[in-house]
C-alpha cells in the first residue's frame, strides 16, 4: 500500500497545480468607422464597450475614428465593429514624421487628418512618386535643349 499512497499523493499535488494564464497586454486599437449621426456614434460606442476587456472607448466624429483601450484583441474589436454594418477598417494613418518617404504616391491621401499620411508597407519605393522623371530632366543642366528660353 505504500506505493499506491505515494502515487495518489503525487497525483493530488499535480492536479492542484494550476496553469498560469497569460495576461493580455494593455492595447489601444484605433478604427476608422463611417459614422453619419449621433445615433451611429452611440451604436458604435455601445458595441465596442461590450468587447471583453475594453476599459474605455473614445469616438471622434470629425475624424471618423474610434479608439478602444484595454486588454483587448484587435481582431475581436474589428469583428465587433463590423457587426454594426458600418464601413470599418483599422486606422490607416500615421504621423508623416514616422514614414521614411511621406511624399510617395501611396502615402498621400487627401482625406487624411492634418500632419498624417497613410501607413506604407516597407516595399514602397521612392521611385513611385507623383513627380515624373520627364519634368525633372526638362530643366537639367546636362540637357542642352532643356530650356532654350534662356
Amino acid at each position: 500500500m505504500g506505493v499506491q499512497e505515494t502515487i495518489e499523493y503525487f497525483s493530488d499535488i499535480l492536479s492542484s497545480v494550476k496553469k498560469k494564464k497569460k495576461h493580455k497586454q494593455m492595447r489601444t486599437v484605433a478604427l476608422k468607422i463611417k459614422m453619419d449621426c449621433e445615433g451611429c456614434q452611440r451604436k458604435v460606442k455601445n458595441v465596442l464597450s461590450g468587447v471583453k476587456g475594453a476599459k474605455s472607448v473614445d469616438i471622434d466624429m470629425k475624424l471618423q475614428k474610434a479608439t478602444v483601450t484595454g486588454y483587448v484583441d484587435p481582431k475581436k474589436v474589428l469583428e465587433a465593429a463590423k457587426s454594426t454594418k458600418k464601413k470599418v477598417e483599422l486606422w490607416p494613418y500615421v504621423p508623416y514624421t514616422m514614414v521614411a518617404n511621406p511624399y510617395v504616391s501611396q502615402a498621400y491621401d487627401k482625406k487624411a487628418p492634418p500632419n498624417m499620411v497613410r501607413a506604407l508597407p516597407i516595399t514602397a519605393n521612392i521611385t513611385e512618386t507623383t513627380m515624373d522623371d520627364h519634368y525633372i530632366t526638362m530643366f537639367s543642366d546636362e540637357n542642352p535643349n532643356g530650356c532654350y528660353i534662356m
Side-chain angles (χ1 to χ4, degrees):
M1 287 276 180
V3 175
Q4 187 175 1
E5 290 175 1
T6 307
I7 293 174
E8 287 178 11
Y9 173 74
F10 283 122
S11 98
D12 288 341
I13 290 174
L14 292 176
S15 65
S16 66
V17 173
K18 294 181 181 177
K19 295 180 182 178
K20 293 183 179 179
K21 294 183 181 180
K22 291 184 179 179
H23 293 286
K24 292 183 180 179
Q25 280 186 322
M26 180 74 123
R27 292 189 179 179
T28 301
V29 180
L31 302 171
K32 182 178 180 183
I33 303 176
K34 182 163 174 50
M35 296 176 279
D36 300 322
C37 62
E38 296 289 326
C40 297
Q41 180 182 357
R42 258 184 278 123
K43 182 177 181 181
V44 168
K45 189 166 186 163
N46 287 339
V47 168
L48 294 179
S49 297
V51 174
K52 184 179 178 183
K55 298 292 180 195
S56 68
V57 178
D58 297 319
I59 296 189
D60 188 347
M61 284 285 290
K62 184 177 179 185
L63 295 177
Q64 301 284 302
K65 180 179 182 179
T67 307
V68 180
T69 306
Y71 301 99
V72 294
D73 182 24
K75 291 179 183 177
K76 290 184 180 180
V77 173
L78 190 62
E79 287 175 14
K82 285 183 179 180
S83 72
T84 61
K85 297 184 175 128
K86 305 275 181 211
K87 185 179 176 186
V88 179
E89 63 179 318
L90 289 174
W91 186 250
Y93 304 117
V94 295
Y96 73 92
T97 55
M98 300 294 288
V99 178
N101 300 307
Y103 302 109
V104 174
S105 61
Q106 298 116 345
Y108 183 74
D109 187 359
K110 290 180 182 178
K111 296 178 183 177
N115 299 324
M116 301 283 243
V117 293
R118 279 197 171 269
L120 288 177
I122 305 296
T123 60
N125 295 331
I126 194 165
T127 59
E128 299 171 352
T129 61
T130 56
M131 188 172 288
D132 193 8
D133 288 335
H134 174 71
Y135 297 118
I136 295 171
T137 59
M138 185 183 298
F139 297 106
S140 174
D141 290 336
E142 288 85 29
N143 185 0
N145 299 325
C147 185
Y148 54 87
I149 298 172
M150 299 171 102

